[in-house]
Every structure is written in structure tokens, then in C-alpha cells.
Amino acid sequence: MCIGTNMGGHKMKSSPIRQERVDAIAMNEPTPSNKSGSFLSDIASIVFILKATGLLPLYETISKYELGPPTIIHRLYSIVVHALVHAMTIFNLYTLFTGGSQQVFYSYRETDNINYWIEILLCIVTYTITVFICSKNSKSFLKVLNDTLKVDDDINRQFSETIVNNCGFAVIFIILVITIQGYIVVLKVFLIDEPLTITSYIIICVYSLQNTLSSIFIVYASIMLRLLSVRFAYLNSLLTGYTYKEQQKPRQRLRTRAANNMRLAAPPAPAMANFPDDSLFTFRMYNKLLRLYKLVNDNCSLILVVYMGYAFYSITTTTYNLFVQITTQQGMSPYVLQICFALLVVHTAMLALLSRCSGEATDQANLTSQILARVYEKSKEYQNIIDKFLTKSIKQEMQFTAYGFFVIDNSTLFKIFSAVTTYLVILIQFKQLEESKLEDAGVPSSSPVAVTVASTTMLIETRQ
């Protein structure tokens, strides 16, 4: 029996033990509410937003476990949305490079204004690349959804069980992102004393809108990783029952941690006679999930690179602005402080969510071979099945990366803040250099003309 062998679609007769098995991590018995729907009903809110903004194709629902391609009208709608996005991007870039956005730069120093200008530029680039990649890989995104539905269909037909995804966190993060970005728009409007021009309103609103949609796509990527993690966990729970430790205690009721952090009792370990059939099905589903894992990574890699670069720079400059506000002699601005804290919360939350979901999916994917290595080998037939899988899995340790530049896992957030600390020291040194030039020019750092003098001095040194 080879790994990944097609079982011909024949449904096995489930044993009483298998019928009663409940995965304490990710499974519940089917209920009337989840029999009629798939995991798409759990993420309906974020899918609606992404479809309305053109980041996901407007697919057609054929059946509970199958999605169809978008119609011609839906494709035209996506093309129009993408055209509007690119037109707005061109307008924002033109405004930034021609000086039409000077009203939104409210900092006291030239260094602060440069950092904010770069931050806006990175936000525009991040969202534009996100739209471009989503448009290019629209069929691939649809394939991920379809293949995940097929995995659920196979599990339902094999064991008559429905996976509980626990994706309620998506709504919480969407509300958090929309609320914070709307609050930032209000704060920036009140921050600028003079009446705002139409161009300034557009830049502020579009900047927050692009921030919002980029963050929502990160939530979507995290959800897809969460879905894969739950399904890996289910397959691992099947194999765990056949491990040596569980087979040695067939009468002892096991306790595992459920998704709601409660302790549930699990039935005794299944009989080893079921291992060949269960293992072949598990290996087939495992290979499907690995392909989905790699496909999600390939689709989102470039988006993750630009977003994490933007988030890193935004966290750094925001922390720097907090330092400037605390140390400035002109007093702290409550609006700037609130904007800084809001940006720190939203970017840190997105990076933490992505890191955690990626780490969970990677850990569950790599855990399968470790569990299988502890399977109770009672006969040579079982040993051959295990050896074939382990020989294949040794060469494919899974990692979720940002376009291959770095691995995204539970340690990513710590690494980012370590890099932020280093770059923050550099920005503070630039600030001290700027103040020293103002003092050499005989202008107090708190003077209203300090920015003009600093800019003139830097310009003269550049020409020399």
C-alpha cells in the first residue's frame, strides 16, 4: 500500500469507536446549523469585504462543497474596481511628488516629515501590490477555497464529522481595524489647525482606506492558515490514537485541550485493525493540505513582504514620533499621541495574528511525522506504511515564508521589534544631528523657523 493511493471513492464502514470519536481540538458532532453550510459561512463578513473591493473574485456558489468561477458581469465589476484603485494610486503619487500634500505634514522637524512621507508612499505601494497580486492570482485564490471545501467533503463522507473552524476572531479584528482607522482620520482632521483642502482630505481618507484593506487582507491570509491548521490538527488527532502510548492504555480515557480551552474526555484508542484504512486516508488528506499550504504561501508571499516592510517602518516611525512628542519642548500634542498609539495597536495586532496563525499551521504540518513515528507497530504491514510516509516527510519540512526572505512563525514579532529598536536608535541620532545643526546656526530648536533653517542647511551641504 503506497502513500497517497487513491481509495477509489469507496466509503468505509465506520466502526463504533470511529463514529464516537470527537476531536477535542477542532471537532464537534454535526449540528443543524453547520450541516447546511461550510467554513465560508464562518468567514462571510471578510469574504464580502474582499469581494466588494476586488481583492477576491466574485465567485458563484455551485454547491456546499464547490465554488464556480465569476460571471462576465462580475469580472467587469472587478476590472472597474481595479481601475479605480490604480487611478487613485496615480493621483496620490502625483500629489506626493509634486508637493500638493504639504498640508498633511504637521511635524516640527524635517526628519519627521520625511519619515511620514515615506510611510504614506509605502502604504500606497503595499495596497497597490496587494490589488495587483490578488487580480493576477484570482483563479489560484478560488482554487484554495475549492480544494479546502473538497477536503471537508472527504472528511465528512469518511467519518460523518464536520470541522469546527472557530474563525470568530476575524470579525473582531475587522471591527478593530475599521474602528481604529476611522478614528485616525478624525484625529488627523482635528490635528491640522488650518482649513483642509480637498486634496488633503483625499490623501488622509485614501491613506486610511488603503491601510484598512491591506490589514483586512492580512486577516484573510491568517484565516486561511487557521483553516489549514485546524485540518492538520484533525488528521493528527486520528493518528494520535494509534501511538504506542495510547495503545498501551486502551481503557484509559484521554484528556485533550479543546478549542474553547476546556478539558474534554476522549474515547479509548481505536483498534490497530483500523490503522491501514485510516492511515491511507490521512496521508491522502495530508498531501492535499500540504499542497494548499504551499499554494497559500505562493499566493501571499509578495504581499506579505511589502506589508511587513511597511508595518515595520510604520511601527518604527510611530515609536519615534512618540519619543519626539515626549521630549519636545513645545509640549505634547494629544492628537499625535493618540494617532501613534492607534497605529501601534493596529500594526502590532496584524503582525501578531499573522505570526500566530502561521506558526500554528506550520507546527501542525510538521507534527504529523512526529506522531506517526510513535505509532505502535504491531506488524510488518503497519511498519511499511509508516516507513514510506516518514521517508517522504523527512525531506519536506514546512515553513511559511515571506517570499523566501524570512520565515513567518511565532518568533517573527519578536524579531521585528528587535529590528525596530535598532532602527529607532538611528532615527534618534538623526534628530540629535538636526538639533545640533540648528544650535550651530544660532536658532533655538523650539523656534518656529527651526524647520526652515535646518532644511536650508541640509540643502547647502548637499550641494557642496
Side-chain angles (χ1 to χ4, degrees):
M1 287 178 277
C2 299
I3 298 173
T5 302
N6 193 337
M7 302 181 65
H10 297 292
K11 184 174 180 181
M12 296 188 311
K13 293 183 179 180
S14 300
S15 64
I17 293 177
R18 187 184 294 115
Q19 287 290 346
E20 295 177 359
R21 184 183 304 162
V22 178
D23 177 20
I25 299 178
M27 299 295 302
N28 279 332
E29 290 296 334
T31 60
S33 59
N34 56 27
K35 275 185 177 180
S36 59
S38 61
F39 68 83
L40 293 176
S41 60
D42 298 332
I43 61 174
S45 56
I46 189 170
V47 169
F48 174 79
I49 295 175
L50 295 178
K51 290 167 67 175
T53 54
L55 297 181
L56 279 183
L58 294 171
Y59 52 78
E60 297 290 323
T61 302
I62 299 177
S63 65
K64 178 181 176 181
Y65 294 111
E66 185 179 2
L67 302 176
T71 61
I72 297 179
I73 297 178
H74 291 162
R75 290 178 182 175
L76 291 175
Y77 171 82
S78 299
I79 293 175
V80 171
V81 171
H82 294 161
L84 291 175
V85 168
H86 295 312
M88 188 60 64
T89 299
I90 295 174
F91 171 79
N92 288 341
L93 291 175
Y94 174 80
T95 305
L96 283 176
F97 283 100
T98 57
S101 59
Q102 293 180 352
Q103 195 176 29
V104 301
F105 298 110
Y106 47 80
S107 301
Y108 297 109
R109 299 289 184 271
E110 185 69 17
T111 302
D112 305 350
N113 291 333
I114 293 176
N115 288 332
Y116 186 54
W117 186 88
I118 296 176
E119 184 178 342
I120 294 178
L121 180 62
L122 287 177
C123 178
I124 296 173
V125 172
T126 299
Y127 181 65
T128 303
I129 292 179
T130 300
V131 174
F132 176 77
I133 296 299
C134 289
S135 176
K136 178 182 176 182
N137 298 336
S138 59
K139 294 182 180 179
S140 186
F141 280 112
L142 186 59
K143 177 177 174 57
V144 171
L145 295 175
N146 258 324
D147 288 351
T148 307
L149 290 173
K150 291 178 181 178
V151 171
D152 290 353
D153 187 23
D154 290 339
I155 292 175
N156 184 267
R157 288 187 292 107
Q158 189 78 9
F159 301 120
S160 299
E161 292 178 336
T162 301
I163 294 182
V164 177
N165 301 287
N166 295 321
C167 293
F169 66 87
V171 178
I172 298 176
F173 276 92
I174 291 174
I175 295 175
L176 175 68
V177 170
I178 294 177
T179 303
I180 289 180
Q181 292 298 336
Y183 185 59
I184 290 176
V185 170
V186 175
L187 290 175
K188 287 184 177 181
V189 170
F190 282 103
L191 178 63
I192 303 174
D193 296 331
E194 59 185 19
L196 291 176
T197 62
I198 297 178
T199 302
S200 299
Y201 274 115
I202 293 177
I203 291 178
I204 292 175
C205 293
V206 171
Y207 170 74
S208 295
L209 178 62
Q210 292 176 338
N211 245 323
T212 301
L213 294 178
S214 298
S215 299
I216 290 178
F217 183 84
I218 296 300
V219 176
Y220 174 74
S222 302
I223 288 177
M224 298 310 299
L225 291 171
R226 168 64 180 172
L227 295 176
L228 295 178
S229 174
V230 169
R231 282 145 186 81
F232 277 124
Y234 171 66
L235 298 182
N236 291 338
S237 70
L238 291 178
L239 294 177
T240 300
Y242 296 102
T243 57
Y244 180 81
K245 180 179 179 181
E246 306 305 327
Q247 290 293 317
Q248 289 297 102
K249 302 177 181 179
R251 296 182 180 180
Q252 180 181 359
R253 300 186 66 84
L254 311 173
R255 295 188 303 169
T256 55
R257 184 173 298 275
N260 57 357
N261 296 325
M262 296 179 62
R263 294 282 183 174
L264 298 179
M272 285 300 297
N274 298 326
F275 178 71
D277 291 333
D278 281 356
S279 62
L280 289 179
F281 175 81
T282 302
F283 299 159
R284 185 160 58 89
M285 292 299 102
Y286 180 79
N287 290 329
K288 284 186 177 181
L289 291 177
L290 283 186
R291 289 194 293 269
L292 286 173
Y293 180 93
K294 295 177 181 178
L295 188 58
V296 171
N297 198 180
D298 293 340
N299 290 339
C300 301
S301 283
L302 186 57
I303 297 176
L304 295 179
V305 169
V306 293
Y307 179 83
M308 297 187 75
Y310 162 64
F312 163 76
Y313 193 86
S314 181
I315 291 175
T316 304
T317 56
T318 300
T319 308
Y320 168 76
N321 288 336
L322 282 175
F323 173 80
V324 171
Q325 286 294 309
I326 294 174
T327 58
T328 185
Q329 298 179 2
Q330 293 184 347
M332 294 183 293
S333 170
Y335 297 118
V336 176
L337 289 177
Q338 293 179 68
I339 292 174
C340 290
F341 281 117
L343 288 174
L344 284 176
V345 168
V346 69
H347 287 308
T348 303
M350 293 300 103
L351 293 176
L353 175 64
L354 179 63
S355 300
R356 180 177 179 180
C357 292
S358 174
E360 287 181 351
T362 303
D363 292 342
Q364 290 295 336
N366 293 324
L367 183 62
T368 304
S369 58
Q370 301 176 25
I371 295 175
L372 198 61
R374 300 193 294 267
V375 168
Y376 182 71
E377 313 93 13
K378 198 172 183 179
S379 69
K380 188 176 181 180
E381 179 187 10
Y382 304 154
Q383 185 64 53
N384 290 336
I385 297 174
I386 297 171
D387 289 344
K388 289 178 181 179
F389 179 82
L390 292 179
T391 301
K392 181 179 180 180
S393 62
I394 287 175
K395 302 178 181 180
Q396 55 180 12
E397 183 178 359
M398 304 306 298
Q399 288 183 336
F400 196 82
T401 66
Y403 211 65
F405 289 104
F406 52 88
V407 178
I408 304 176
D409 53 21
N410 294 323
S411 63
T412 301
L413 193 61
F414 172 77
K415 295 176 182 177
I416 289 178
F417 276 98
S418 298
V420 165
T421 303
T422 303
Y423 194 66
L424 183 61
V425 173
I426 298 176
L427 288 179
I428 293 175
Q429 290 177 344
F430 271 107
K431 177 180 182 298
Q432 294 174 346
L433 177 63
E434 187 177 353
E435 290 181 347
S436 64
K437 290 181 178 180
L438 293 177
E439 293 176 358
D440 294 340
V443 180
S445 59
S446 59
S447 172
V449 297
V451 175
T452 305
V453 173
S455 303
T456 306
T457 305
M458 295 175 65
L459 180 60
I460 293 175
E461 291 181 354
T462 302
R463 290 180 177 179
Q464 290 177 350

